[in-house]
Amino acid sequence: MTTPTPDQARETYQRPAGGSVPRPPRTLVTRERLHSALDLGVQAPLTLLIAPAGTGKTVLLADWVARRRRSGEAVTWVPGQAPGSLGQTIQEAVGADLPSPPDPIVVDDAHLLPAATVADLSQVLKKSPHAVRLVLATRYDLPLPVPELELRGMALTLRSGDLRFNDAEAAALVQAHADKATPEDIQLFQQQTAGWAAALVLAARTLAATGAAVWPVVNQRPVLDVLLGESLSTLDDRVHAMLLSTFAATAMTAPLAVMLSGEADAGAMLADLAGNGLLVTAYADGTAGEPLYQYHPLLVELLRRRAAGSSDDARIVVAAHRRSALYYENRGDGGSALRSALGADDPDLVARILLAHGPEILAAGDLDLVTAGFEALPDGYLAARPHVIGVRGLLRRASGDVAGAMMDAASADDLAGTTEGRPLTPDDDALAADAVLLRLWESRYGWYDVQTAIGRARSLLTLDPADGDGRRGAVLAPERLAWLLIELAAAETWADELDAALSHLDEALVTARMVGHTRLVAGGLAHRAVVQYVRGQVQSAAQSAQAALDVVGERGLPLEYAVRVHVVMGFAAVSQLDLDSAWQWHKLVVATDVADSDTVVTALRAVLRSVLLVEDGRLDEALTELTSDPAAAGRLPSFLSRDLALLRFRLAVLVGDQPGVEAQLRELDRTGNTTEAELARAILSINRGDLPATVAMIDQQLSRPDLYLPLASSAASFRTVLLARMGDVPAADASLVDTLNRVAPQRILHALIPAGGEPAFLDQLRRHLASPNPHPFAAIALDKLSGYRDASSESGGMTLLARTRPDAHASPPHRLDAVVNGARIRLTAREADVLEQLALGSSYTEIAQALYITENTVKTHLMSLYRKLGVEKRSAALRVARTVGLI
């Protein structure tokens, strides 16, 4: 048989017993009357055993379950402190085609169940009681619908009076522990304990050890204190020391007990205590067969009091904590090491673990544990051991204490600079890494120069030897290294170094996965999702974002990671034209405090909202949202400038703002996005009316390899519509396939919106689907585009394709009369002409040219028109005019 290591044992006792039924003690007394009551109770949905600790609930249920299983009847055992999938199991039972009656589920220590689980149980018992057979052992009443069920004969409750040992059961229990007990002894015990199981056991064991049936007199310490103390006093000193060394653990195994106590026979001692029923319960492990032991709360409380009241016992406990801390420190388990060190009364040990493992623990989200570590250090300790000041800065950063974190960053930086001229130690490496971590964080908010921070990080890691000083690279723990790489990649993203950022994120993910640090894995994935998105790899980004959620779940993501995941998932939903889901993701983005995100995320959030407003037809709101760039220290990264300029360009086109169009083209040039600017100019050349020339210009630009994929996909669809207008069917069909090839890998359907609003484009997709060898993505594109509602056009927006459609300027008969806000209005013929041109998206200059009037006359007609419609803006005028049927 393979014996589990203390680490494996620790992982197991975090989920005590895991569904295993406790092993019965050798002194077991089977209580047939209560077995019969339980057999009767499980014919109904709910059976409750409600009684204090020490009344024998667990032993009774374990014996009853073992008997049922021997007879082939299935029973599930669930420990209350580790309910696992209990809630899911219960929910699945509701409405399922289950046997009648369903198998019983026994929940021991049900008072430890999470409140949410108890609420779920309550709902099931109210709505579908016949779907379950629950047996709950608890120390107090739970908020369950017990009275309603009892009135309907669907619940049975056994309380302390029912669980008390009767005379026959008491005699059997006492003689099992003290075979020389006389009837008089048993009668005394039964009278004094009133059938209380724990007191009977302890009294019998005291009798067996001392030969005298002595009972505490009135007004002495509580009965169980005396009896348990007397029983412990009969134990071997080694057993006593072993219990003091191990009682703080949630559950125990033999290897873990050996490690904590230093006693080679600790496993045999535990087995003997469990077999004798001395408030130690053994559970069978589900895998290797190694038993798990749990100490009764009464035993734990007495041992705690002894450790507090006796310096000798306290030294035993402290020594156990120290052994545990050193063991887990050597095993690389920083969290367990620090928890143990907090009880070892050794500030140097606490500080050493904080320095070595503090970032690992913080990255795992256990801020309280690191805080407790710093609180355990004496006043002035950091002055003598200042290397941990970087860890304190990281703690302050994670806790939201920005000012404190910045002060510690500066102090850590100054201290790290004093290592010149002497050999570096691991403590120096840790301090230097923490200082750089903090500086990288500051650089994303403009509080520190980003290029300086990036250079220092690369030099520390020897990733950029040209910038180094010839000293060796730092030797860092994997968790610290992974966190540093993630922060470096975040700074590189802000600095427009996307290839380097992706490379370092991949390295961070490998490192974090190697040590199984799920939160760092999630952080690397969340940052990678952002980089992939800004490169146009929308669905790859969504996959990374979803993977981050899958690793730790929605609630396990720190805010700075969660906001990245949410914004990327929002863009992915927009890309697939799932606007309802996109708005839901946007709500989660908005719910995240801006302080928990940097300028990159803030800008992406503004872009996401603006895109959704445009798709909702709320053009004025979108224009307001994009009035200014997000606040940033220094210029925005080129990819953010690109996204903002392209979105403003689209809005300017929709509302016919030619100066705005030109301004955004200049902005693209200014920010280094000249390729995108040239492609946009090629698309705009359609206004000249020379379709072949426009197609040729678009073709020339699409041949470039470095195009932003969403814009390139949109341009390809634009070209497809123009070729169809020119009557070049083979070229249009080839262009359609090229468009689908660009769109399909990342499912960038949103890029097809301008073309998707053209009936000719949808007709071409339908014809293509009827061809012998259609593109695999054509059916999806047609389905999504056909069901898409272009709200922006309903609000007065007009795409270039719509504005230049051959029939776009055909004048329908004007309607001059309408009712607006309950009042009848009548437009003049010229006002109707102006309104028609307005609906085409024309600018003031274009309206004047089309109607052969001056721009001032156009403005005069518009003022009259706005007054009659009761509005102040173009988009509102078009919205009202459409509503009342004027256009």
Side-chain angles (χ1 to χ4, degrees):
M1 179 182 72
T2 303
T3 301
T5 66
D7 299 284
Q8 293 169 327
R10 176 176 168 276
E11 291 174 3
T12 305
Y13 78 65
Q14 287 176 337
R15 297 173 282 105
S20 300
V21 181
R23 294 179 175 180
R26 292 189 296 269
T27 54
L28 173 70
V29 173
T30 297
R31 308 175 73 185
E32 293 294 346
R33 64 182 179 86
L34 293 178
H35 281 211
S36 299
L38 292 172
D39 288 338
L40 176 64
V42 293
Q43 296 179 26
L46 179 63
T47 303
L48 286 167
L49 282 72
I50 306 174
T55 49
K57 300 185 297 295
T58 298
V59 173
L60 169 64
L61 289 174
D63 188 26
W64 177 75
V65 169
R67 191 206 68 189
R68 286 182 67 92
R69 288 182 174 178
R70 285 194 299 270
S71 61
E73 297 174 280
V75 182
T76 299
W77 182 280
V78 177
Q81 59 268 60
S85 58
L86 173 63
Q88 181 180 350
T89 302
I90 298 292
Q91 292 296 339
E92 289 175 352
V94 177
D97 186 14
L98 295 172
S100 183
D103 296 330
I105 299 175
V106 174
V107 183
D108 192 24
D109 290 329
H111 53 276
L112 299 178
L113 287 173
T117 303
V118 175
D120 289 342
L121 295 181
S122 180
Q123 288 300 311
V124 170
L125 289 169
K126 288 178 180 178
K127 297 179 180 179
S128 306
H130 293 292
V132 294
R133 293 292 183 270
L134 294 171
V135 181
L136 308 182
T138 172
R139 294 182 196 169
Y140 48 78
D141 289 276
L142 299 173
L144 299 171
V146 178
E148 299 95 311
L149 292 173
E150 287 180 336
L151 286 174
R152 298 161 61 187
M154 300 174 70
L156 172 67
T157 300
L158 301 176
R159 295 189 178 270
S160 298
D162 303 298
L163 296 179
R164 288 173 182 159
F165 277 65
N166 59 29
D167 290 345
E169 293 167 343
L173 182 61
V174 171
Q175 289 178 336
H177 288 271
D179 55 2
K180 295 182 179 179
T182 66
E184 291 77 14
D185 296 332
I186 296 171
Q187 183 179 11
L188 171 65
F189 294 158
Q190 179 68 340
Q191 289 174 349
Q192 298 293 336
T193 65
W196 192 358
L200 283 169
V201 169
L202 293 172
R205 290 186 61 83
T206 301
L207 172 62
T210 64
V214 179
W215 195 260
V217 297
V218 179
N219 295 328
Q220 281 189 335
R221 287 178 296 158
V223 170
L224 282 180
D225 270 13
V226 175
L227 293 177
L228 186 50
E230 292 293 335
S231 294
L232 287 181
S233 67
T234 66
L235 297 177
D236 185 274
D237 288 344
R238 294 164 59 215
V239 177
H240 186 207
M242 184 274 296
L243 288 173
L244 283 167
S245 299
T246 57
F247 76 90
T250 305
M252 189 55 53
T253 64
L256 188 60
V258 170
M259 185 270 290
L260 290 173
S261 66
E263 177 59 66
D265 294 333
M269 296 175 184
L270 286 171
D272 184 60
L273 291 169
N276 288 326
L278 186 57
L279 300 182
V280 176
T281 304
Y283 294 80
D285 185 279
T287 53
E290 177 71 24
L292 287 168
Y293 299 96
Q294 285 187 319
Y295 296 176
H296 196 282
L298 296 172
L299 177 59
V300 171
E301 179 59 25
L302 182 67
L303 291 168
R304 183 178 290 112
R305 291 183 194 176
R306 291 208 164 187
S310 165
S311 58
D312 291 338
D313 287 349
R315 279 193 290 271
I316 293 174
V317 174
V318 168
H321 282 300
R322 182 172 180 78
R323 277 192 296 270
S324 177
L326 293 174
Y327 174 82
Y328 286 118
E329 183 186 21
N330 290 333
R331 304 289 290 187
D333 185 347
S336 296
L338 184 54
R339 287 186 185 89
S340 298
L342 291 174
D345 193 25
D346 186 345
D348 288 339
L349 178 61
V350 171
R352 187 175 76 227
I353 294 172
L354 280 173
L355 180 59
H357 299 282
E360 162 200 338
I361 303 169
L362 288 172
D366 201 343
L367 277 62
D368 290 343
L369 178 58
V370 178
T371 300
F374 278 100
E375 290 175 348
L377 301 179
D379 292 341
Y381 186 89
L382 263 64
R385 191 178 173 87
H387 280 72
V388 293
I389 201 166
V391 178
R392 190 180 69 177
L394 295 173
L395 171 62
R396 286 175 163 178
R397 170 198 164 179
S399 303
D401 181 4
V402 174
M406 294 178 69
M407 291 174 58
D408 283 345
S411 299
D413 235 0
D414 291 342
L415 184 62
T418 65
T419 61
E420 298 292 338
R422 65 174 175 79
L424 293 176
T425 67
D427 287 0
D428 294 329
D429 288 341
L431 172 67
D434 294 342
V436 172
L437 259 172
L438 289 166
R439 291 308 198 189
L440 288 167
W441 161 68
E442 289 178 322
S443 73
R444 290 193 281 125
Y445 294 85
W447 304 326
Y448 191 80
D449 181 69
V450 66
Q451 290 300 337
T452 301
I454 290 173
R456 289 184 56 187
R458 290 175 177 173
S459 178
L460 181 70
L461 301 172
T462 65
L463 296 175
D464 191 354
D467 292 339
D469 56 7
R471 306 175 80 187
R472 66 163 178 79
V475 179
L476 303 176
E479 297 84 0
R480 200 181 235 113
L481 174 61
W483 193 359
L484 181 59
L485 287 166
I486 291 171
E487 286 293 341
L488 173 58
E492 287 168 333
T493 302
W494 170 246
D496 253 332
E497 300 182 33
L498 300 183
D499 289 340
L502 276 180
S503 174
H504 296 152
L505 286 171
D506 286 343
E507 186 177 352
L509 286 168
V510 170
T511 305
R513 284 172 174 148
M514 177 182 69
V515 292
H517 200 299
T518 55
R519 297 242 302 193
L520 285 172
V521 171
L525 289 167
H527 279 274
R528 186 173 73 177
V530 169
V531 178
Q532 288 171 323
Y533 168 73
V534 299
R535 292 171 68 114
Q537 302 163 350
V538 184
Q539 294 310 311
S540 297
Q543 290 169 7
S544 294
Q546 185 60 55
L549 290 175
D550 292 342
V551 168
V552 294
E554 182 73 41
R555 295 184 179 179
L557 275 175
L559 289 179
E560 67 171 297
Y561 299 157
V563 71
R564 285 168 165 77
V565 167
H566 297 155
V567 77
V568 167
M569 295 299 282
F571 280 117
V574 169
S575 183
Q576 298 196 62
L577 302 185
D578 184 358
L579 300 185
D580 289 340
S581 295
W583 274 114
Q584 292 302 314
W585 287 113
H586 173 263
K587 288 180 181 178
L588 293 175
V589 173
V590 172
T592 304
D593 191 344
V594 176
D596 296 306
S597 58
D598 55 25
T599 305
V600 171
V601 174
T602 304
L604 291 177
R605 175 167 63 185
V607 172
L608 175 60
R609 175 169 174 78
S610 301
V611 169
L612 290 171
L613 289 172
V614 171
E615 301 312 322
D616 256 11
R618 295 151 66 182
L619 304 185
D620 291 340
E621 292 180 60
L623 286 167
T624 301
E625 183 78 26
L626 295 172
T627 299
S628 59
D629 288 343
R635 58 184 296 179
L636 291 175
S638 63
F639 59 82
L640 287 181
S641 299
R642 176 202 65 203
D643 288 359
L644 288 165
L646 287 176
L647 184 52
R648 289 166 177 154
F649 173 85
R650 182 187 174 198
L651 267 171
V653 168
L654 284 172
V655 301
D657 179 9
Q658 189 59 33
V661 169
E662 295 297 333
Q664 297 313 313
L665 291 176
R666 290 192 298 272
E667 179 66 10
L668 287 170
D669 285 329
R670 186 188 70 81
T671 55
N673 296 290
T674 54
T675 303
E676 287 73 21
E678 289 306 313
L679 183 53
R681 288 189 177 97
I683 293 171
L684 281 173
S685 69
I686 191 177
N687 287 322
R688 302 171 190 165
D690 188 348
L691 297 191
T694 298
V695 169
M697 292 176 66
I698 293 174
D699 275 339
Q700 181 181 3
Q701 295 302 320
L702 286 178
S703 65
R704 303 180 65 166
D706 55 344
L707 279 172
Y708 181 49
L709 184 57
L711 179 61
S713 301
S714 186
S717 67
F718 195 92
R719 177 190 58 186
T720 302
V721 174
L722 297 188
L723 287 168
R725 287 184 185 177
M726 293 162 55
D728 190 344
V729 176
D733 288 343
S735 180
L736 176 64
V737 172
D738 177 61
T739 299
L740 294 173
N741 284 338
R742 294 174 187 270
V743 171
Q746 296 294 328
R747 302 177 71 88
I748 314 176
L749 285 161
H750 185 254
L752 301 182
I753 290 301
E758 297 296 300
F761 185 79
L762 298 179
D763 289 341
Q764 188 178 355
L765 270 174
R766 294 185 185 95
R767 290 194 301 272
H768 177 74
L769 278 170
S771 67
N773 188 28
H775 192 283
F777 196 65
I780 297 173
L782 178 61
D783 177 63
K784 289 286 189 178
L785 292 172
S786 298
Y788 181 75
R789 171 179 165 270
D790 187 3
S792 66
S793 65
E794 297 176 6
S795 300
M798 182 168 287
T799 65
L800 282 172
L801 287 173
R803 186 175 289 123
T804 58
R805 196 182 301 143
D807 60 350
H809 295 281
S811 299
H814 290 320
R815 177 182 168 186
L816 304 178
D817 295 308
V819 176
V820 177
N821 296 328
R824 181 168 295 279
I825 67 167
R826 181 174 178 81
L827 305 184
T828 66
R830 184 55 81 186
E831 287 170 349
D833 289 337
V834 171
L835 181 60
E836 177 186 357
Q837 291 295 321
L838 204 66
L840 294 174
S842 302
S843 65
Y844 292 165
T845 301
E846 290 169 335
I847 295 174
Q849 291 172 351
L851 300 180
Y852 300 99
I853 57 179
T854 67
E855 287 191 39
N856 283 335
T857 303
V858 171
K859 293 177 182 178
T860 299
H861 287 306
L862 282 175
M863 290 176 61
S864 176
L865 184 63
Y866 289 172
R867 178 178 52 78
K868 291 179 180 181
L869 295 175
V871 299
E872 296 180 355
K873 295 182 179 180
R874 170 197 294 256
S875 58
L878 292 172
R879 184 163 56 248
V880 173
R882 291 183 190 280
T883 301
V884 299
L886 289 172
I887 55 176

